[in-house]
mmCIF file of all heavy atoms in Angstrom:
data_model
loop_
_atom_site.group_PDB
_atom_site.id
_atom_site.type_symbol
_atom_site.label_atom_id
_atom_site.label_comp_id
_atom_site.label_asym_id
_atom_site.label_seq_id
_atom_site.Cartn_x
_atom_site.Cartn_y
_atom_site.Cartn_z
ATOM 1 N N GLU A 171 -52.944 13.162 -22.040
ATOM 2 C CA GLU A 171 -52.253 13.819 -20.956
ATOM 3 C C GLU A 171 -51.019 13.137 -20.571
ATOM 4 O O GLU A 171 -50.972 11.861 -20.532
ATOM 5 C CB GLU A 171 -53.199 14.094 -19.769
ATOM 6 C CG GLU A 171 -52.612 14.796 -18.604
ATOM 7 C CD GLU A 171 -53.607 14.870 -17.473
ATOM 8 O OE1 GLU A 171 -54.509 15.850 -17.549
ATOM 9 O OE2 GLU A 171 -53.538 14.088 -16.559
ATOM 10 N N VAL A 172 -50.000 13.861 -20.204
ATOM 11 C CA VAL A 172 -48.715 13.217 -19.668
ATOM 12 C C VAL A 172 -48.729 13.892 -18.151
ATOM 13 O O VAL A 172 -48.768 15.126 -18.127
ATOM 14 C CB VAL A 172 -47.540 13.560 -20.385
ATOM 15 C CG1 VAL A 172 -46.307 13.029 -19.644
ATOM 16 C CG2 VAL A 172 -47.661 12.896 -21.793
ATOM 17 N N GLY A 173 -48.564 13.056 -17.230
ATOM 18 C CA GLY A 173 -48.613 13.639 -15.848
ATOM 19 C C GLY A 173 -47.531 12.956 -14.877
ATOM 20 O O GLY A 173 -46.853 11.993 -15.239
ATOM 21 N N ARG A 174 -47.441 13.478 -13.694
ATOM 22 C CA ARG A 174 -46.535 12.975 -12.710
ATOM 23 C C ARG A 174 -47.298 12.819 -11.333
ATOM 24 O O ARG A 174 -48.100 13.653 -10.924
ATOM 25 C CB ARG A 174 -45.351 13.976 -12.564
ATOM 26 C CG ARG A 174 -44.328 13.573 -11.461
ATOM 27 C CD ARG A 174 -43.242 14.557 -11.302
ATOM 28 N NE ARG A 174 -42.408 14.351 -10.170
ATOM 29 C CZ ARG A 174 -41.287 13.459 -10.174
ATOM 30 N NH1 ARG A 174 -40.853 12.918 -11.322
ATOM 31 N NH2 ARG A 174 -40.679 13.181 -9.027
ATOM 32 N N SER A 175 -46.971 11.895 -10.599
ATOM 33 C CA SER A 175 -47.471 11.575 -9.267
ATOM 34 C C SER A 175 -46.384 11.544 -8.256
ATOM 35 O O SER A 175 -45.369 10.788 -8.540
ATOM 36 C CB SER A 175 -48.204 10.235 -9.320
ATOM 37 O OG SER A 175 -48.645 9.924 -8.032
ATOM 38 N N ASP A 176 -46.581 12.086 -7.119
ATOM 39 C CA ASP A 176 -45.521 11.970 -6.006
ATOM 40 C C ASP A 176 -46.233 11.727 -4.766
ATOM 41 O O ASP A 176 -47.155 12.492 -4.386
ATOM 42 C CB ASP A 176 -44.770 13.313 -5.954
ATOM 43 C CG ASP A 176 -43.843 13.610 -7.139
ATOM 44 O OD1 ASP A 176 -42.782 13.086 -7.158
ATOM 45 O OD2 ASP A 176 -44.261 14.467 -7.981
ATOM 46 N N ASP A 177 -45.763 10.656 -4.100
ATOM 47 C CA ASP A 177 -46.338 10.335 -2.764
ATOM 48 C C ASP A 177 -45.782 11.321 -1.652
ATOM 49 O O ASP A 177 -44.581 11.378 -1.537
ATOM 50 C CB ASP A 177 -45.848 8.819 -2.492
ATOM 51 C CG ASP A 177 -46.412 8.361 -1.155
ATOM 52 O OD1 ASP A 177 -47.176 9.134 -0.480
ATOM 53 O OD2 ASP A 177 -46.123 7.166 -0.855
ATOM 54 N N ILE A 178 -46.779 12.055 -1.127
ATOM 55 C CA ILE A 178 -46.343 12.955 -0.039
ATOM 56 C C ILE A 178 -46.880 12.471 1.323
ATOM 57 O O ILE A 178 -47.054 13.329 2.236
ATOM 58 C CB ILE A 178 -46.903 14.349 -0.476
ATOM 59 C CG1 ILE A 178 -48.410 14.289 -0.547
ATOM 60 C CG2 ILE A 178 -46.201 14.906 -1.635
ATOM 61 C CD1 ILE A 178 -49.044 15.819 -0.690
ATOM 62 N N SER A 179 -47.130 11.246 1.503
ATOM 63 C CA SER A 179 -47.667 10.688 2.673
ATOM 64 C C SER A 179 -46.749 11.013 3.978
ATOM 65 O O SER A 179 -47.255 11.187 5.114
ATOM 66 C CB SER A 179 -47.939 9.171 2.604
ATOM 67 O OG SER A 179 -48.758 8.962 1.527
ATOM 68 N N SER A 180 -45.450 10.916 3.664
ATOM 69 C CA SER A 180 -44.453 11.116 4.770
ATOM 70 C C SER A 180 -44.603 12.469 5.371
ATOM 71 O O SER A 180 -44.258 12.702 6.617
ATOM 72 C CB SER A 180 -43.134 10.848 4.224
ATOM 73 O OG SER A 180 -42.739 11.806 3.226
ATOM 74 N N ILE A 181 -45.042 13.526 4.595
ATOM 75 C CA ILE A 181 -45.195 14.813 5.210
ATOM 76 C C ILE A 181 -46.234 14.781 6.314
ATOM 77 O O ILE A 181 -46.115 15.505 7.289
ATOM 78 C CB ILE A 181 -45.659 15.754 4.067
ATOM 79 C CG1 ILE A 181 -44.549 15.961 3.056
ATOM 80 C CG2 ILE A 181 -45.942 17.130 4.676
ATOM 81 C CD1 ILE A 181 -44.962 16.784 1.896
#
Side-chain angles (χ1 to χ4, degrees):
E171 181 180 279
V172 176
R174 179 181 172 91
S175 172
D176 290 283
D177 183 356
I178 58 172
S179 304
S180 60
I181 297 176

